[in-house]
Amino acid sequence: MELESILLPGVEEKRPIVIAGPCSAESKEQIMATAKDLAGKGVKIFRAGIWKPRTKPGGFEGVGVEGLSWLKEVKKETGMYVATEVATAKHVYECLKAGIDLLWVGARTTANPFAVQEIADALKGVDIPVLVKNPVNPDLELWIGALERLNNAGIKRLGVIHRGFSSYDNKLYRNLPQWHIPIELRRRLPEIPIFCDPSHIGGKRELIAPLSQQAMDLNFDGLIIESHCNPDCALSDAAQQVTPEVLDYIINLLVIRKGTQSTESLSQLRKQIDECDDNIIQELTKRMRIAREIGMYKKEHNLTVLQSGRYSEILDKRGDQAKQCGMDPEFMIKIFEAIHEESIRQQMEIINK
Ligand code: PEP
Ligand code: MN
């Protein structure tokens, strides 16, 4: 992917990059009051949804184009950059006309390649930063696919927003964090800035602070947080919005650890880890060779590959051993399940040869 390193001039000097503003633009007064307070707290990018994707019809579905003129006003009055969500080509044209600085693609839209392609086509030849929220379903390829569609259309200032994944069983979180998915995205596309959206992951304001801290500890670049001048009366997502005052408090309490890669003692320790990993792989190679020999034996003596008594014995024994060594037995059992699965696969190959 061909990318540019700066999303917007002047916002990336300090971690986290904060994008804040209401879930939805509701009225000019609400937008201006919220924006002024946020600007006063040093926020540089203001968000507000203009077209709102809602689960069921009949609710508040956003103010539409009129809200874009309020965002223009925010820009003029406060100097903040303004951002909103686009889901169709028409949204894109309206935003470009209104001079919106940053666009984001919502979670429901990312899940639909037709819609993402339509947005990408509408953005052809335009130089604007776009943040892509994860699709509602935990599908990393779909998320990366959306980035590729935009990049193919010439968008070079790209970022992602981790907003959690929809689940039928949502007890604590509104959307499950499944942190391993953005972590894998970072491994695959290390240059893309990652924002966390603790408001939509948590679904309640109490969870914004702990989720934001987790995101910072995972070295995310930014946070997008819903903030409303009067959260309890918000027309959408009332439970997860905070006042600009509370937002500022949350941001100031975050512990920001350094994300640097190498100091002398860190590289020493990493060398030791590399040695351990070498040893693990060598031992596994040896173990697989023995497993294949056992496979030969089973074939010659007409024995089944799976000997379940032996399998349970291995899991029990290594689970207990892990506990004695101060490790989580469940973790060790998972490892030995994977090792055993591979041994069985190799023995099946031998038996069927
Ligand atoms: C939003 O940010 O207001 C929004 C609708 O989010 P999502 O696409 O993550 O549901
Ligand atoms: Mn919202």
Side-chain angles (χ1 to χ4, degrees), residues 91-146:
H91 295 167
V92 170
Y93 298 132
E94 296 292 353
C95 286
L96 295 177
K97 206 159 68 185
I100 301 300
D101 300 291
L102 180 148
L103 306 175
W104 81 81
V105 175
R108 292 157 193 80
T109 309
T110 310
N112 177 357
F114 288 130
V116 176
Q117 192 57 51
E118 180 187 316
I119 292 168
D121 291 342
L123 283 169
K124 227 172 210 139
V126 181
D127 180 20
I128 190 169
V130 181
L131 304 182
V132 179
K133 287 199 167 197
N134 63 259
V136 279
N137 51 324
D139 184 340
L140 177 61
E141 300 310 322
L142 201 53
W143 198 359
I144 293 179

Side-chain angles (χ1 to χ4, degrees), residues 133-270:
K133 287 199 167 197
N134 63 259
V136 279
N137 51 324
D139 184 340
L140 177 61
E141 300 310 322
L142 201 53
W143 198 359
I144 293 179
L147 292 166
E148 286 174 354
R149 286 178 196 278
L150 291 161
N151 197 238
N152 288 344
I155 299 295
K156 297 200 174 78
R157 289 187 282 162
L158 279 170
V160 297
I161 301 171
H162 167 231
R163 52 77 81 195
F165 300 89
S166 175
S167 141
Y168 192 63
D169 168 34
N170 43 1
K171 290 201 184 74
L172 176 58
Y173 300 108
R174 181 177 175 194
N175 292 290
L176 298 179
Q178 307 208 44
W179 295 101
H180 63 281
I181 296 176
I183 290 172
E184 175 60 12
L185 185 135
R186 159 89 3 130
R187 192 185 70 77
R188 299 257 299 265
L189 300 170
E191 310 94 297
I192 294 217
I194 305 187
F195 288 75
C196 176
D197 177 344
S199 314
H200 287 92
I201 294 177
K204 29 185 145 3
R205 51 184 76 108
E206 299 75 28
L207 290 177
I208 295 176
L211 285 164
S212 299
Q213 185 61 56
Q214 256 175 297
M216 288 301 101
D217 291 340
L218 291 170
N219 208 17
F220 279 34
D221 303 274
L223 298 168
I224 175 164
I225 300 179
E226 289 188 337
S227 177
H228 189 292
C229 55
N230 187 359
D232 288 331
C233 298
L235 297 182
S236 60
D237 289 351
Q240 69 190 36
Q241 303 204 57
V242 287
T243 59
E245 193 81 43
V246 171
L247 176 102
D248 186 52
Y249 179 76
I250 292 173
I251 300 291
N252 284 322
L253 273 189
L254 290 175
V255 180
I256 307 298
R257 301 179 170 92
K258 281 190 294 225
T260 49
Q261 302 279 327
S262 60
T263 61
E264 193 49 35
S265 39
L266 196 55
S267 44
Q268 278 300 324
L269 290 169
R270 286 197 171 137

Side-chain angles (χ1 to χ4, degrees), residues 26-148:
E26 299 166 4
S27 68
K28 188 166 175 189
E29 295 67 41
Q30 166 246 12
I31 284 292
M32 295 315 295
T34 309
K36 280 180 188 156
D37 283 355
L38 287 170
K41 302 292 184 194
V43 171
K44 296 203 176 89
I45 310 173
F46 183 74
R47 66 148 282 160
I50 298 294
W51 302 279
K52 295 304 299 176
R54 306 307 296 276
T55 302
K56 287 185 178 152
F60 172 67
E61 302 213 308
V63 291
V65 176
E66 186 189 3
L68 292 173
S69 63
W70 308 337
L71 291 183
K72 257 163 112 171
E73 182 87 8
V74 166
K75 220 171 128 154
K76 201 169 103 213
E77 291 270 317
T78 68
M80 279 191 286
Y81 292 112
V82 291
T84 198
E85 171 178 349
V86 289
T88 66
K90 182 174 172 290
H91 295 167
V92 170
Y93 298 132
E94 296 292 353
C95 286
L96 295 177
K97 206 159 68 185
I100 301 300
D101 300 291
L102 180 148
L103 306 175
W104 81 81
V105 175
R108 292 157 193 80
T109 309
T110 310
N112 177 357
F114 288 130
V116 176
Q117 192 57 51
E118 180 187 316
I119 292 168
D121 291 342
L123 283 169
K124 227 172 210 139
V126 181
D127 180 20
I128 190 169
V130 181
L131 304 182
V132 179
K133 287 199 167 197
N134 63 259
V136 279
N137 51 324
D139 184 340
L140 177 61
E141 300 310 322
L142 201 53
W143 198 359
I144 293 179
L147 292 166
E148 286 174 354

